[in-house]
């Protein structure tokens, strides 16, 4: 709900009394020296943008409730060379959003087109911040945003640029992400992109609803203990011994879009009277992956909109689904996140997914 202007008129000396964007540098632990931005929407929704990690979002809270899963390692400084094999897992901090791509999403692979590590290098790429726009409620300006650019380039090779704007409005429990990928080089570039949303306790807890709508198939290699017709795969489970280490399952979903072209997914935790709504455009991100990893002490559920499932560039190339960007070409992506706590808003969210 937007602020009632009359409630704070003539009472503010600084917009940070309501909210805004505050930048800082971590000074301890494996993330020492890493730039971040704390964004406070003034509604109880606040989150940490990791500027040096592709402007991905790490910690995120709504009032006292944590929304994101954070890995044991947490935020680490970017490691640009971590693009071999499973190196990506050594620097994976979890967090609300981890960006995968820009040319490969999926496991490590090697073919005649090169060697590619798990999920590509973009999440280990620092941003150049080009603008920060603070709110100015006294002047009637409630919008705020931070914009940066990340480069995935190689001399004599591909030159892709990701321009990301994360924005919001004081008084609204929402996050808007607008990405633009551009081919700034002189050769055609393959392109894949996936947004790895990682939900953790207490938003994700035993009995909470995993919300999505669409036809699905199990990911290749699944044990199919969760994603099968005899199991309610849309309920969060208790921690599982079978998910120790690399135990996991995932489904590849063809999400249903509304008449405006938007798909909706998310999490509903009735015990918290809270729903997390994630919306994306089907024309931009036609595939949704639901990752479930209920390990003890490593308890996480992922919803991952993408241009492709996380099955790799080589398979997409074989199947004829790999995207290619010509020199000068641009592709845009939009994500809309809302935190819902009223019965009316939660009911509307769930109705859209029936």
């Amino acid at each position: 709900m937007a602020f009632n202007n009359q409630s704070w008129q003539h009472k503010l000396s600084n917009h940070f009394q309501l909210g805004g964007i505050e930048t800082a540098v971590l000074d301890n632990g494996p993330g020492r020296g890493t730039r971040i931005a704390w964004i406070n929407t003034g509604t109880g929704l606040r989150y940490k943008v990791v500027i040096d990690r592709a402007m991905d979002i790490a910690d995120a809270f709504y009032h006292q409730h944590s929304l994101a899963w954070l890995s044991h390692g947490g935020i680490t400084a970017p490691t640009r060379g971590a693009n071999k094999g499973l190196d990506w897992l050594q620097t994976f901090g979890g967090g609300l959003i981890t960006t995968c791509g820009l040319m490969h999403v999926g496991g490590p692979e090697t073919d005649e087109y090169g060697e590619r590590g798990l999920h590509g290098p973009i999440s280990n790429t620092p941003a150049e911040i080009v603008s920060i726009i603070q709110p100015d409620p006294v002047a009637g300006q409630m919008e705020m945003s931070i914009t940066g650019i990340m480069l995935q380039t190689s001399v004599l090779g591909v030159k892709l640029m990701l321009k990301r704007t994360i924005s919001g409005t004081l008084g609204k429990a929402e996050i808007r992400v607008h990405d633009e990928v551009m081919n700034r080089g002189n050769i055609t570039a393959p392109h894949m992109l996936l947004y790895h949303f990682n939900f953790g306790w207490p938003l994700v807890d035993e009995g909470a609803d995993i919300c999505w709508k669409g036809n699905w198939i199990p990911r290749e290699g699944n044990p199919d203990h969760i994603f099968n017709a005899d199991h309610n795969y849309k309920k969060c489970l208790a921690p599982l011994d079978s998910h120790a280490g690399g135990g996991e399952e995932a489904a590849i979903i063809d999400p249903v879009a509304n008449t405006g072209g938007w798909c909706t997914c998310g999490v509903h935790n009735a015990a918290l009277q809270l729903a997390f709504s994630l919306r994306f455009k089907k024309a931009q991100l036609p595939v949704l992956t639901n990752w479930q990893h209920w390990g003890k002490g490593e308890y996480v559920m992922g919803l991952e909109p993408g241009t492709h499932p996380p099955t790799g560039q080589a398979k997409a190339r074989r199947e004829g689904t790999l995207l290619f960007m010509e020199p000068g070409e641009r592709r845009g992506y939009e994500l809309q996140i809302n935190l819902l706590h009223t019965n009316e808003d939660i009911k509307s969210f769930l109705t859209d997914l029936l």
Side-chain angles (χ1 to χ4, degrees):
M1 179 180 296
F3 290 119
N4 177 352
N5 288 351
Q6 297 304 313
S7 66
W8 49 260
Q9 193 172 15
H10 306 305
K11 301 171 185 174
L12 290 181
S13 302
N14 190 304
H15 69 266
F16 280 116
Q17 288 180 245
L18 295 180
I21 302 171
E22 185 175 18
T23 57
V25 178
L26 300 179
D27 71 351
N28 200 6
R32 186 173 185 269
T34 300
R35 296 173 299 157
I36 62 169
W38 269 111
I39 300 181
N40 180 9
T41 66
T43 63
L45 173 62
R46 61 201 187 279
Y47 55 96
K48 183 191 293 176
V49 174
V50 188
I51 295 170
D52 281 340
R53 298 296 302 263
M55 293 178 62
D56 285 336
I57 298 176
D59 317 30
F61 295 85
Y62 186 64
H63 297 301
Q64 75 270 36
H65 303 307
S66 179
L67 306 172
W69 170 74
L70 303 176
S71 73
H72 293 288
I75 296 173
T76 61
T79 307
R80 292 300 300 273
N83 192 30
K84 305 285 187 182
L86 297 175
D87 287 351
W88 187 87
L89 292 174
Q90 298 179 27
T91 66
F92 178 36
L96 188 65
I97 304 176
T98 297
T99 310
C100 304
L102 300 170
M103 297 191 294
H104 168 73
V105 296
E109 59 184 29
T110 302
D111 58 19
E112 64 269 34
Y113 298 97
E115 180 181 359
R116 295 174 289 277
L118 175 65
H119 287 328
I122 193 62
S123 70
N124 269 292
T125 304
E128 175 190 349
I129 297 301
V130 296
S131 76
I132 295 177
I133 299 175
Q134 295 283 8
D136 186 356
V138 174
Q141 168 62 30
M142 306 300 278
E143 302 298 309
M144 55 185 171
S145 66
I146 181 170
T147 299
I149 56 175
M150 287 72 70
L151 301 176
Q152 185 173 325
T153 68
S154 175
V155 175
L156 308 181
V158 168
K159 299 173 178 64
L160 292 179
M161 184 173 82
L162 170 62
K163 183 177 183 180
R164 170 166 292 177
T165 297
I166 298 175
S167 61
T169 306
L170 275 184
K172 293 185 178 181
E174 68 178 24
I175 305 170
R176 301 186 297 271
V177 179
H178 176 78
D179 282 352
E180 186 177 47
V181 178
M182 292 161 272
N183 184 349
R184 302 297 294 269
N186 57 16
I187 61 174
T188 302
H191 174 50
M192 304 177 80
L193 181 66
L194 180 141
Y195 297 91
H196 208 298
F197 280 77
N198 308 285
F199 301 102
W201 186 89
L203 176 65
V204 163
D205 202 358
E206 185 175 356
D209 298 306
I210 303 168
C211 303
W212 48 263
K213 182 179 181 180
N215 296 325
W216 63 274
I217 58 172
R219 186 181 59 185
E220 292 181 13
N222 259 9
D224 295 343
H225 297 149
I226 293 174
F227 288 101
N228 64 69
D230 298 324
H231 185 266
N232 187 352
Y233 43 81
K234 290 188 176 180
K235 284 287 186 182
C236 297
L237 300 178
L240 299 175
D241 288 329
S242 61
H243 279 198
E248 61 180 10
E249 289 193 38
I252 309 300
I253 302 154
D254 178 15
V256 173
N258 65 16
T259 55
W262 288 88
C263 303
T264 301
C265 64
V267 182
H268 171 228
N269 188 319
L272 301 181
Q273 194 174 327
L274 181 62
F276 183 107
S277 169
L278 168 60
R279 299 173 69 231
F280 54 95
K281 288 189 173 181
K282 177 81 178 241
Q284 299 171 350
L285 302 165
V287 181
L288 177 67
T289 302
N290 180 200
W291 172 51
Q292 299 189 19
H293 177 71
W294 309 115
K296 290 183 176 179
E298 205 164 47
Y299 185 82
V300 53
M301 187 275 292
L303 291 170
E304 306 167 20
T307 59
H308 300 77
T311 52
Q313 186 190 116
K315 183 177 182 181
R317 193 184 294 270
R318 288 194 305 270
E319 295 178 347
T321 61
L322 184 61
L323 299 176
F324 291 93
M325 297 184 66
E326 299 301 322
E329 185 177 350
R330 301 168 179 242
R331 297 181 68 95
Y333 301 95
E334 296 177 65
L335 300 168
Q336 174 84 43
I337 297 162
N338 292 91
L339 276 298
L340 312 173
H341 68 276
T342 68
N343 290 332
E344 181 180 359
D345 287 343
I346 291 173
K347 182 179 179 181
S348 177
F349 166 71
L350 296 175
T351 299
D352 287 343
L353 292 165
L354 294 178

